[in-house]
Amino acid sequence: MIRLVKHIFNKSSSGFTMIELTIVILVMAIFGTLTAEILSNATKIYSESLKRQQFISEARSSFFKISRELSWQKHFRGFKQCSEKNIYINTGDGNLIAYEIRNSNDILNSNSQLNTELLSKKIDYNNSSFSFYKSDYTAVDLQNQGHEVMVINLNLSYVDNDLTINLNSDISPYGLSLGKAMSYHE
């Protein structure tokens, strides 16, 4: 009996067999490959969501900047120069702010206080525009009825690869809400 126990003990303490080592190495390789694949996919998803978030942030930031500054329009004279792709904002303190939607799919911002800057490089030229309306929301002919503008519709479409964001807002500049200034106010 002692020999049998000694024989069993010696056999089990001799180490791993080649088959056992091969199986362990294969299992570790499979788990390592799966872990690397999962980490690679997670990194890719994170990178794509970060790019998407940056795109959304750029679109919102530029749209809200234009919306805010459109509300500063103080005088109707600036509208005669405006078009579907250009807008000029005459602020109360004499500054002129201009936005131009260019066919190079970007939007340019000019300010009499600052240099010209590229506001966004992701504008869809064909689907972005400025529109001008009376208080009853009928379109205004800027050359003949510029003094009747009460609402400016800002419609900007942003595109980045397969992502598209359409932002649209009606802005009623607080300087224009009372109507055309009388001659003794100018």
Side-chain angles (χ1 to χ4, degrees), residues 2-156:
I2 293 179
R3 271 189 173 179
L4 182 62
V5 171
K6 190 175 182 184
H7 179 67
I8 293 173
F9 182 71
N10 284 341
K11 188 174 181 180
S12 67
S13 65
S14 65
F16 295 107
T17 64
M18 186 60 100
I19 293 175
E20 292 171 331
L21 286 174
T22 305
I23 290 173
V24 168
I25 290 171
L26 284 174
V27 168
M28 289 178 64
I30 291 170
F31 283 136
T33 303
L34 290 174
T35 303
E37 187 67 29
I38 290 169
L39 289 175
S40 172
N41 286 338
T43 303
K44 183 179 177 183
I45 290 169
Y46 175 75
S47 176
E48 289 172 359
S49 67
L50 185 62
K51 285 179 185 177
R52 187 177 315 116
Q53 186 59 37
Q54 288 171 337
F55 169 64
I56 292 169
S57 179
E58 179 182 330
R60 290 179 66 193
S61 174
S62 63
F63 183 82
F64 289 125
K65 177 180 170 69
I66 296 168
S67 296
R68 183 186 74 235
E69 292 180 358
L70 276 173
S71 72
W72 297 347
Q73 181 71 284
K74 290 286 190 178
H75 204 279
F76 296 97
R77 279 186 290 234
F79 290 129
K80 286 194 177 201
Q81 302 168 355
C82 296
S83 70
E84 182 180 76
K85 302 296 182 185
N86 296 305
I87 192 154
Y88 298 91
I89 303 163
N90 294 303
T91 64
D93 57 3
N95 290 321
L96 177 67
I97 301 169
Y99 289 99
E100 178 184 2
I101 301 169
R102 302 188 311 175
N103 60 4
S104 53
N105 291 328
D106 55 26
I107 189 161
L108 200 61
N109 173 227
S110 303
N111 189 323
S112 58
Q113 293 178 335
L114 303 172
N115 294 331
T116 300
E117 71 173 320
L118 199 57
L119 193 60
S120 177
K121 297 178 184 178
K122 297 174 180 165
I123 293 289
D124 181 5
Y125 178 80
N126 295 323
N127 293 316
S128 299
S129 64
F130 302 107
S131 303
F132 305 88
Y133 299 99
K134 298 178 186 179
S135 58
D136 63 357
Y137 218 78
T138 56
V140 172
D141 171 16
L142 294 174
Q143 296 303 313
N144 300 319
Q145 300 172 313
H147 63 281
E148 295 183 39
V149 172
M150 290 294 157
V151 177
I152 302 166
N153 178 263
L154 175 60
N155 181 31
L156 296 180

